[in-house]
Amino acid sequence: MEYQLNIDGKYYNSLDIDAFSLMMKNPSYCYKFYWLEAIVQLISEDVKETSFNEIIDEMIANAWYTVLEFHIHLSGMIEGQIKDGLERAILTLQELSKLPANASKVEIKNGIKEYDKELTLYKEQLTHMVPYRALSGFFDKCQERAYWGSTQRMVSYIERVNQISLLPYTLGTGSSLKKEVFFHEAWIKMIQDNTVPILGWIQYEKVKWLQNNNPEVPGLIYKLVPMNEKMRKLNSVRKLWKAVMDNQSIVDVFKNSPIVNDNYDVDHFIPWSFVMNDELWNLMPMDSSLNSSKSNKLPKWDPFFRRFASNQFILYSMIHDDRKPEIRKMYESCYRDNLHSIWANQELYRKGNSKEEFYIILEKNMQPVYDSARRQGYQIW
């Protein structure tokens, strides 16, 4: 089912809404989505005139978290090389500024200003085609053909098209990143009145593009904006692991020593930012002092997976121990938020698995997810 862009009907009489709906058609790179998104956001803030430079700064800030926290490739990779210029700009700025993935928009824009010279080449590359191609849906109204080979002639051509059919923006005569972008009053009014549905439409099209270019990444729709901690649902799992540790000592996966009660966290073996779920099979108690240093990284598979699986088998044994009905009840309380994987329910947690069978089932299902995260660029801890 396609997302339909629904605009108040009164605007169809004065503006070419059908052409507007083509502004993201047939993209070659993801930054086409971020270009339009940045324009809509600036207009929603009552900006009437801006520049290529300011729009690209907005694009960098908008894509920052997706690229750095979730390791999403905006336009895929070719022979190990990043295709998308916007992604390259973000990675360069992060390397220079050392800003964290969760930096604020103000911090990111301050970083851009500080390293403006180093970023100029990357930013200029983003202006070569998209500002002009984004308007191509409007060009059918003009019998004159577009002059794609010359930006100067394209600026004049856009002005002539604007005389026939009002465009969302026209361009000034400034050079390179200083080129002016002028928003038309009628389009400003339409976009301000319809900001929410327009941004929803952009997000839908962006997700489709990103998922196609990151086929191994789960939960991509949740990876476009900073995480909401309320999405984490660990209460039932914490209670379950506490009950297990009240019955038997559990060895910390990373320290290889017993976990001290009341001095541990429940965390994900494969980072939550990649799997985007709180499934029981990926959760473990670990020393609180290590949680921040592990952060968003992958543990080494060897030797840590074997220790992790050993702890998981202890939990598994207790939920099937008829002498511990309270632990079984706590396990069942995890059904709503932490037990959705079909393979876990049908294979891993079924009664009767030997220790070796349990290890094999867990490994054959976790290792492909782990390997996908590695290919996506997650660092090893």
Side-chain angles (χ1 to χ4, degrees), residues 137-318:
F138 294 88
F139 296 168
D140 289 345
K141 301 291 187 298
C142 182
Q143 293 183 348
E144 182 185 357
R145 66 178 180 84
Y147 301 95
W148 297 113
S150 166
T151 56
Q152 187 174 349
R153 294 179 75 182
M154 279 303 298
V155 170
S156 299
Y157 175 76
I158 287 169
E159 282 288 353
R160 291 193 291 277
V161 174
N162 190 53
Q163 301 303 312
I164 302 168
S165 177
L166 286 180
L167 299 178
Y169 59 84
T170 54
L171 304 174
T173 56
S175 62
S176 190
L177 294 172
K178 295 180 181 178
K179 187 172 289 296
E180 305 87 352
V181 180
F182 306 106
F183 302 129
H184 194 284
E185 282 292 341
W187 283 101
I188 290 173
K189 179 73 166 64
M190 188 282 286
I191 289 172
Q192 288 180 342
D193 286 351
N194 295 274
T195 298
V196 172
I198 292 172
L199 288 177
W201 165 64
I202 294 170
Q203 177 130 318
Y204 174 80
E205 295 295 333
K206 190 196 301 180
V207 167
K208 285 200 305 181
W209 169 272
L210 290 173
Q211 191 66 77
N212 189 54
N213 283 277
N214 297 268
E216 294 183 295
V217 176
L220 200 145
I221 192 170
Y222 302 112
K223 298 181 176 181
L224 302 186
V225 293
M227 296 181 291
N228 183 347
E229 287 298 318
K230 292 180 180 178
M231 292 174 66
R232 311 286 280 267
K233 297 178 179 179
L234 299 174
N235 286 342
S236 296
V237 178
R238 287 193 184 100
K239 291 175 184 177
L240 176 59
W241 272 114
K242 183 179 188 310
V244 170
M245 289 189 288
D246 286 344
N247 281 267
Q248 181 175 340
S249 177
I250 294 292
V251 172
D252 186 280
V253 169
F254 306 116
K255 297 178 75 173
N256 202 24
S257 59
I259 292 174
V260 178
N261 234 341
D262 300 322
N263 190 31
Y264 69 92
D265 292 326
V266 171
D267 195 21
H268 300 71
F269 188 83
I270 301 170
W272 181 83
S273 65
F274 183 73
V275 296
M276 293 304 287
N277 62 54
D278 295 311
E279 290 292 286
L280 182 60
W281 54 263
N282 189 39
L283 292 167
M284 60 186 174
M286 63 177 286
D287 190 298
S288 300
S289 65
L290 297 176
N291 202 358
S292 60
S293 63
K294 176 184 177 293
S295 185
N296 200 27
K297 300 183 182 73
L298 285 165
K300 290 181 181 177
W301 188 260
D302 296 316
F304 298 134
F305 173 76
R306 201 72 182 171
R307 295 178 195 165
F308 170 79
S310 179
N311 286 345
Q312 280 277 340
F313 185 74
I314 291 171
L315 181 149
Y316 166 81
S317 300
M318 287 194 190

Side-chain angles (χ1 to χ4, degrees), residues 123-146:
K123 292 170 74 174
E124 286 177 343
Q125 289 172 346
L126 297 174
T127 69
H128 289 168
M129 294 304 296
V130 165
Y132 312 96
R133 290 282 183 188
L135 294 172
S136 61
F138 294 88
F139 296 168
D140 289 345
K141 301 291 187 298
C142 182
Q143 293 183 348
E144 182 185 357
R145 66 178 180 84

Side-chain angles (χ1 to χ4, degrees), residues 104-128:
S104 69
K105 180 173 278 193
V106 171
E107 290 173 320
I108 295 166
K109 289 191 173 182
N110 285 341
I112 293 170
K113 288 178 183 176
E114 184 177 354
Y115 296 100
D116 183 66
K117 184 178 179 181
E118 292 85 346
L119 293 173
T120 296
L121 178 63
Y122 298 100
K123 292 170 74 174
E124 286 177 343
Q125 289 172 346
L126 297 174
T127 69
H128 289 168

Side-chain angles (χ1 to χ4, degrees), residues 306 313 353-361:
R306 201 72 182 171
F313 185 74
N353 286 326
S354 67
K355 189 172 186 177
E356 195 57 34
E357 286 170 336
F358 184 89
Y359 279 26
I360 290 169
I361 294 167

Side-chain angles (χ1 to χ4, degrees), residues 324-346:
K324 298 180 171 63
E326 73 284 357
I327 290 183
R328 178 70 194 188
K329 188 174 181 180
M330 289 180 182
Y331 166 75
E332 291 173 354
S333 72
C334 295
Y335 283 154
R336 189 183 71 174
D337 295 326
N338 315 107
L339 285 163
H340 302 118
S341 299
I342 294 173
W343 66 268
N345 282 308
Q346 293 185 354

